[in-house]
């Protein structure tokens, strides 16, 4: 169970579905640490959504920096009320770092590229490295039994299932040809998260993961017409586990709908076991 009050670390929370989740979390009184390259940009966007300065001061800690700066990542993962001699981690981590621009190439097999090829995968690696540093300090300061392990939610994409097709047939060329390069990064991120949790035997940097796979993003309001599917991670031993319904297959989903689901089910939700170890597909 999470501590009270819950504190959540956001990486990549200045736009899209993670920003939608962040707005809802702050409005509900959740304490947030957000790593941000341009703090004024995040503050301005929050004001546009009706979050006043008083609320931001009470519930939001913005850490200037980027995901490649491990010291800034460490700071984002720590409760600002904890001390150097007794570091205390956040309860949950949202990894939503993604490419901010794409490039077009002459490679007919991968016509779309991203300048920072492994930005999503490298983000989770840095988060895990920073968590291990802090957890080593916790173990030295107290004991191994007192080490905290937050829950990690990572935002990925549909089209990556290793168990079954999870996109409409019409989208197969789009996902597996046009977006091949960006999806390589998302796939590497997923593999890093799953491998780190699976191979650690419960003693890794996080206590578990939730990987969210939205379909193609659109702007628009949050909708009650959200279909949710899921499958177990690719390394899960299925014997004795709850039977997975499989992915929800659809064409599009709004960023607000995904952010609303993340807030209600993972940030605000108190039952970590409900989605832990699952690849969750969201679509309209």
């Amino acid at each position: 169970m999470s501590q009270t009050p819950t504190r959540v670390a956001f990486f990549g929370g200045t736009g899209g579905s993670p920003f939608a989740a962040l707005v809802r979390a702050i409005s509900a009184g959740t304490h947030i640490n957000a790593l941000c390259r341009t703090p004024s940009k995040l503050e301005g966007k929050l004001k546009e959504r009706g979050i006043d300065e008083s609320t931001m001061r009470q519930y939001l800690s913005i850490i200037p920096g980027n995901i490649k700066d491990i010291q800034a990542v460490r700071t984002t993962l720590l409760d600002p009320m904890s001390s150097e001699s007794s570091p205390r981690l956040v309860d949950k981590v949202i990894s939503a770092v993604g490419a901010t621009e794409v490039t077009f190439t002459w490679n007919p097999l991968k016509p779309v590229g991203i300048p920072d090829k492994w930005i999503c995968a490298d983000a989770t690696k840095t988060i895990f490295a920073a968590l291990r540093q802090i957890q080593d300090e916790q173990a030295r300061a107290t004991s191994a039994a007192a080490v905290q392990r937050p829950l990690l939610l990572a935002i990925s994409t549909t089209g990556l299932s290793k168990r079954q097709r999870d996109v409409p047939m019409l989208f197969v060329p789009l996902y597996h040809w046009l977006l091949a390069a960006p999806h390589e990064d998302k796939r590497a991120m997923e593999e890093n998260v799953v491998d780190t949790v699976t191979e650690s035997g419960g003693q890794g940097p996080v206590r578990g993961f939730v990987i969210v796979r939205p379909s193609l993003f659109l702007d628009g309001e949050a909708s009650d017409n959200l279909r949710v599917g899921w499958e177990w991670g690719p390394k899960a031993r299925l014997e004795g586990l709850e039977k997975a319904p499989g992915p929800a297959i659809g064409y599009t989903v709004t960023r607000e709908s995904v952010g609303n689901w993340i807030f209600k089910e993972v940030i605000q939700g108190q039952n970590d076991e409900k989605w832990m170890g699952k690849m969750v597909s969201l679509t309209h």
Side-chain angles (χ1 to χ4, degrees):
M1 297 292 289
S2 297
Q3 298 174 8
T4 301
T6 298
R7 183 172 289 275
V8 182
F10 270 81
F11 298 93
T14 57
S17 58
F19 177 71
L22 187 149
V23 169
R24 288 166 170 78
I26 293 176
S27 298
T30 305
H31 294 270
I32 301 294
N33 292 356
L35 180 67
C36 184
R37 286 178 295 181
T38 312
S40 59
K41 177 183 176 181
L42 177 56
E43 291 168 345
K45 293 184 69 174
L46 287 170
K47 289 178 182 178
E48 291 174 2
R49 292 291 296 265
I51 307 295
D52 58 38
E53 291 186 6
S54 175
T55 302
M56 281 189 255
R57 283 195 301 270
Q58 185 173 1
Y59 296 114
L60 176 64
S61 296
I62 300 179
I63 295 84
N66 64 68
I67 194 63
K68 296 184 178 182
D69 180 352
I70 194 168
Q71 186 57 49
V73 172
R74 276 180 54 100
T75 303
T76 309
L77 292 167
L78 285 167
D79 186 330
M81 302 304 291
S82 65
S83 64
E84 191 171 319
S85 61
S86 182
R88 186 168 63 247
L89 282 166
V90 297
D91 306 298
K92 299 173 183 179
V93 178
I94 309 297
S95 179
V97 174
T100 57
E101 58 181 307
V102 298
T103 58
F104 294 94
T105 74
W106 292 104
N107 183 346
L109 299 178
K110 296 179 181 179
V112 175
I114 50 178
D116 195 340
K117 185 177 180 181
W118 304 111
I119 180 64
C120 298
D122 287 345
T124 53
K125 289 179 181 177
T126 306
I127 291 169
F128 287 150
L131 282 170
R132 288 188 179 103
Q133 286 184 6
I134 298 167
Q135 288 160 346
D136 286 346
E137 294 167 9
Q138 287 182 326
R140 288 195 297 269
T142 53
S143 67
V147 168
Q148 295 172 278
R149 292 182 172 85
L151 175 70
L152 173 77
L153 180 143
I155 299 180
S156 184
T157 180
T158 49
L160 300 184
S161 175
K162 293 183 178 181
R163 297 189 185 277
Q164 57 196 300
R165 177 173 59 84
D166 62 346
V167 295
M169 284 299 297
L170 287 176
F171 270 18
V172 171
L174 171 69
Y175 277 64
H176 298 293
W177 171 65
L178 188 64
L179 299 177
H183 282 196
E184 281 184 354
D185 180 29
K186 292 289 191 184
R187 185 175 292 107
M189 176 199 72
E190 287 193 3
E191 291 174 352
N192 178 46
V193 171
V194 172
D195 289 348
T196 299
V197 174
T198 304
E199 296 170 4
S200 65
Q203 299 302 308
V206 294
R207 65 177 179 268
F209 68 83
V210 180
I211 291 180
V212 174
R213 292 172 167 172
S215 53
L216 192 66
F217 276 130
L218 294 178
D219 289 330
E221 297 299 318
S223 171
D224 293 332
N225 182 31
L226 182 68
R227 293 188 290 119
V228 182
W230 62 268
E231 61 185 20
W232 290 108
K235 293 194 174 183
R237 296 180 179 179
L238 302 182
E239 297 84 359
L241 293 177
E242 175 187 2
K243 184 178 179 181
I249 299 177
Y251 290 93
T252 60
V253 68
T254 65
R255 295 172 175 86
E256 289 291 327
S257 291
V258 174
N260 188 52
W261 185 91
I262 291 171
F263 166 66
K264 287 185 175 181
E265 295 293 333
V266 178
I267 295 175
Q268 194 178 49
Q270 293 299 308
N271 182 10
D272 289 349
E273 299 291 335
K274 182 177 181 180
W275 300 108
M276 193 181 295
K278 297 174 181 178
M279 328 294 271
V280 182
S281 54
L282 302 175
T283 192
H284 289 316

